[in-house]
Each structure stands twice: as C-alpha cells, then as structure tokens.
C-alpha cells in the first residue's frame, strides 16, 4: 500500500465514522439538544473536506458533485464553531452576531467555490474572517472557564481552545502564507489523520460496551453494584460548614447584589478550596455555571422588588441595578428566561394579585402572579 492508498483509506474511514456518529447523535437530539442538531451538518462539511483533501488532482471530484463537496468543506469552520459553543453552553443558539458572521462566511465560501478563478481579495477576506471566528471561539472558552462549575467541562475548555484553535489557526496561516492550492501529500494526510482521530475519540465518548451483548446472559456477567462509599465524619462536618457559609453569604451578606462579583472573589469569600466550592454549587445545588447560580438569586431579589407596592413607580433599570444586574438588557433577558414573562408583565400580575387578595380579605403574601413560580432557596 502506497501513501496515496493509505491517504484514501484515512479519508474513507474518517467520512464513515463522522456520518455514523451524525446519525447516532441525531437520534438522541431530544436528550442531547443543540449539539446533536449541529453535529450532522458539521459531519457533512468535514466529509466534503475529506473528499477533496488530496494533492492528486485526478482524484478530485469534478462538475456539480465537486462544487458541492468543495462548498461543504468551506462551511466546516462555521459549523465547527457553532458546535463547540453549543457543547460548552447549553443556552447557545446560532443567532445575533454569531449567526450573521456564520452566514457571511458561508456566502463568501460559496462565492469562492463558485468562481473558477476567484480574486485574491475574496480568499483573503475569507481567511481574515476565519481568524476572527477562531479568536471568538478561544475567547469564549477561556472567558467563561472560571465560572464553569462542571469540573470536566471546566478542564476541557483549555484543552479544546489550545488543540482546536491551534489546528484552525495553523491551517488558516498556511493558506495565507503558501496559498490555497498548497496541499502536499504529507500535510493533507496529517489533516486527515487529525479528523479521523477526532471522530474515533468522539465515538469512544458516545459509544459504550455492554457486557451482556456477546454473552447473551446479562445476569451472569453483570458486575455487582458497589457499596455506597462511606463518608468520613470530618468530611461531613466540612461540607456542613461550607453549606452554612454559602447560606450566610447569599442570604445574610447578599453578595449576589454586587454586579462585579466573580467566581474567584466568591471562592475567596467562601474561604474554601475552589474545587470544593465548585462541587457544592454544581453537585448539590444543581447549577452548571456560576452565572446561572448568581442569576437565580438576582431574579429572586427582582421578584420581591417588583411585587413591592412601595416600589411600583420605580423604573425597571432601578430594579435591575438593585437586584445585582449590570444592565437593563441583561436583566430583561435573564428574567424572561427564568420566569417566562417580562419584568413589567410580572409586576402587573403581582400587584394585581396583591390587590385582589386584599379586596378578598386574604393575606397578600399568599397570592402570586400567573406567570411565575415560587422557588425554594433552601440548601
């Protein structure tokens, strides 16, 4: 087997694995969410890239199939960008500036592939936009790393930023320096090996082996359930003290009202190791990011202020700032996401419910607006 045949095998293996994973993840889209919807178009784009990623022009597709494959390869960066953002942020949706830049890239890639001899300015604009996309991805991964409370995801942010960002920057830099037609066999094979390695790594993360599949006897080979680990008395005491400290900070000192509060500052106020604080807020309270943890308490504070008749004349910006939010747009966005209504609608409903309760001789505290749900702040 010569290098050309080995390269063809690498490309075929990568395409097969990517498309198989796309089918597998799409079947679980309801449980996985946005990453499962973005992976199939990314897999198709990467397959298009693998189809034409060979220096042998005789092996390249021609005509309409070739144009489609080359266009798909040009869209790889966009869907890879969106897919990574969705993996690290469950609230991510391609919209706003992220959507506009992605569509701009796709339009430029379509023009670059459609023109037989595109102008250098078009290709260089595409590369410049690609540098911006990579910079945004790396910035998002690092900027939100500190407050990420899921330990594995927190650790993976730096690795993905370095590996994926480094690979994309290397590829774009080579296009910029050596030209877009520069594709020596060893360089193309290195790219194909990287894609195949990524698909195999992801398959290892997604697929699991069942001990009863080949034995046909699940009861015989089922591993005994391990006994629940016994906690040391000192560990339980430390956890209890940590919970009490957290309750004091949030309910007595109310540090969530500081709009500049960071996770590092919070850990310092907790006077505990960062990993212990991360575990407490994530595992026991159920928040995956420090931002969502703070927003929970800030929304609770906003609900009290909005339902207070004494502050019915206050502007919403005053309510937002007094609740710990840094701006009115962020307050409106977070409040709507948590309460399924705007702050103004919540205020109207809460004050109307209070008025109705007073007229009916019921305690005002027992009534609530129709668009919100009371939550417990107990630890």
């Amino acid at each position: 087997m010569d290098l050309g045949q080995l390269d063809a095998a690498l490309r075929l293996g990568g395409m097969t694995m990517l498309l198989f994973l796309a089918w597998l993840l799409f079947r679980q889209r309801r449980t996985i969410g946005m990453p499962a919807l973005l992976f199939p178009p990314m897999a198709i784009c990467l397959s298009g890239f693998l189809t034409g990623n060979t220096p042998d022009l005789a092996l390249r597709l021609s005509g309409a199939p070739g144009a489609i494959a080359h266009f798909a390869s040009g869209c790889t960066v966009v869907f890879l960008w969106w897919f990574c953002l969705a993996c690290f942020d469950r609230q991510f949706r391609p919209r706003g500036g992220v959507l506009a830049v992605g569509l701009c890239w796709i339009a430029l890639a379509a023009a670059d592939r459609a023109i037989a001899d595109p102008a250098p300015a078009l290709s260089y604009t595409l590369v410049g936009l690609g540098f911006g996309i990579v910079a945004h991805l790396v910035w998002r991964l690092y900027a939100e790393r500190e407050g990420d409370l899921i330990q594995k995801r927190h650790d993976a942010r730096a690795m993905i930023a370095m590996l994926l960002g480094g690979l994309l920057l290397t590829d774009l830099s080579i296009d910029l320096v050596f030209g877009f037609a520069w594709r020596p066999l060893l360089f193309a094979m290195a790219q194909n090996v990287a894609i195949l390695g990524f698909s195999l790594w992801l398959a290892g993360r997604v697929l699991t082996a069942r001990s009863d599949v080949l034995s046909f006897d699940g009861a015989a080979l089922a591993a005994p359930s391990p006994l629940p680990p016994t906690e040391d008395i000192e560990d339980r005491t430390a956890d209890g003290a940590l919970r009490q400290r957290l309750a004091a900070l949030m309910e007595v000192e109310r540090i969530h009202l500081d709009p500049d509060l960071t996770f590092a500052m919070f850990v310092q106020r907790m006077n505990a190791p960062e990993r212990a604080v991360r575990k407490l807020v994530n595992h026991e309270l159920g928040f995956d990011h420090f931002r969502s943890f703070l927003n929970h308490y800030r929304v609770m504070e906003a609900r009290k202020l909005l339902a207070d008749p004494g502050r019915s004349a206050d502007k919403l910006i005053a309510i937002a700032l007094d609740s710990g939010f840094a701006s009115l747009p962020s307050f409106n966005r977070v409040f709507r996401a948590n309460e399924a209504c705007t702050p103004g609608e919540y205020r109207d409903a809460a004050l109307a419910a209070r008025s109705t309760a007073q007229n009916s001789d019921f305690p005002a505290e027992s009534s609530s607006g129709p668009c919100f749900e009371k939550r417990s702040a107990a630890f």
Side-chain angles (χ1 to χ4, degrees):
M1 177 182 290
D2 58 20
L3 288 180
Q5 293 173 326
L6 177 60
D7 180 55
L10 290 173
R11 290 186 285 115
L12 180 61
M15 292 170 58
T16 302
M17 185 62 68
L18 286 169
L19 296 176
F20 170 70
L21 287 172
W23 169 76
L24 195 64
L25 292 175
F26 188 74
R27 291 179 58 196
Q28 303 294 327
R29 60 191 181 277
R30 293 186 178 179
T31 55
I32 298 176
M34 185 56 62
L37 297 176
L38 291 173
F39 188 84
M42 186 187 77
I44 294 173
C45 291
L46 281 173
S47 298
F49 173 79
L50 289 171
T51 300
N53 192 34
T54 172
D56 190 351
L57 295 178
L59 294 179
R60 293 181 181 271
L61 293 174
S62 60
I68 294 174
H70 293 165
F71 170 69
S73 67
C75 299
T76 300
V77 174
V78 172
F79 286 105
L80 187 60
W81 176 36
W82 291 349
F83 174 73
C84 289
L85 292 177
C87 287
F88 288 95
D89 182 3
R90 67 174 61 183
Q91 304 298 327
F92 170 78
R93 299 293 184 274
R95 57 192 174 194
V98 172
L99 178 61
V101 172
L103 294 179
C104 181
W105 170 282
I106 292 175
L108 291 175
D112 185 65
R113 297 304 190 271
I115 302 174
D117 188 15
L122 177 60
S123 299
Y124 289 131
T125 302
L126 199 61
V127 172
L129 194 59
F131 278 118
I133 289 175
V134 175
H136 178 267
L137 174 61
V138 173
W139 171 75
R140 280 286 301 272
L141 292 178
Y142 271 109
E144 299 179 358
R145 182 172 183 263
E146 182 188 52
D148 197 333
L149 301 175
I150 300 178
Q151 191 64 46
K152 289 185 178 180
R153 194 173 68 185
H154 171 272
D155 298 337
R157 285 179 179 272
M159 182 188 68
I160 297 297
M162 289 187 295
L163 294 180
L164 184 58
L167 287 174
L168 291 175
L169 285 175
T170 300
D171 186 64
L172 291 170
S173 300
I174 287 175
D175 287 340
L176 189 62
V177 175
F178 295 99
F180 301 92
W182 190 80
R183 281 291 186 273
L185 179 58
L186 291 180
F187 174 68
M189 288 183 65
Q191 290 180 311
N192 298 336
V193 167
I195 295 175
L196 178 60
F198 164 73
S199 61
L200 290 175
W201 171 82
L202 185 59
R205 300 283 297 179
V206 172
L207 303 175
T208 57
R210 289 172 47 191
S211 60
D212 62 317
V213 170
L214 299 180
S215 66
F216 303 100
D217 185 7
L221 294 181
S225 301
L227 295 175
T230 58
E231 295 184 12
D232 188 78
I233 297 178
E234 295 182 359
D235 291 340
R236 293 200 301 267
T237 304
D239 289 344
L242 202 61
R243 293 190 198 97
Q244 292 178 358
R245 179 58 182 160
L246 179 62
L249 287 177
M250 305 308 293
E251 299 177 0
V252 180
E253 300 184 34
R254 294 155 60 85
I255 63 173
H256 57 281
L257 300 183
D258 179 6
D260 298 323
L261 182 66
T262 65
F263 184 68
M265 296 167 58
F266 181 73
V267 171
Q268 186 177 9
R269 296 289 298 273
M270 286 287 293
N271 194 26
E274 177 182 325
R275 185 176 292 269
V277 176
R278 195 183 305 278
K279 180 180 178 181
L280 174 66
V281 180
N282 175 230
H283 289 189
E284 298 195 27
L285 302 184
F287 296 98
D288 67 336
H289 200 280
F290 184 62
R291 180 180 58 249
S292 59
F293 169 69
L294 288 182
N295 287 339
H296 169 72
Y297 282 92
R298 289 169 178 169
V299 168
M300 289 177 61
E301 180 69 20
R303 289 168 57 186
K304 290 192 298 183
L305 297 179
L306 290 170
D308 184 359
R311 304 201 58 172
S312 59
D314 288 1
K315 294 184 177 180
L316 290 179
I317 182 62
I319 300 295
L321 297 179
D322 289 346
S323 302
F325 290 94
S327 66
L328 182 59
S330 63
F331 170 55
N332 289 330
R333 182 179 65 255
V334 172
F335 195 93
R336 179 186 286 272
N338 281 268
E339 303 298 330
C341 63
T342 66
E345 293 170 344
Y346 182 95
R347 169 187 273 172
D348 294 340
L351 294 178
R354 178 182 290 271
S355 176
T356 302
Q358 290 176 346
N359 294 335
S360 302
D361 295 329
F362 284 104
E365 292 76 12
S366 65
S367 58
S368 60
C371 63
F372 60 89
E373 175 186 357
K374 290 187 178 180
R375 301 184 210 170
S376 174
F379 292 93

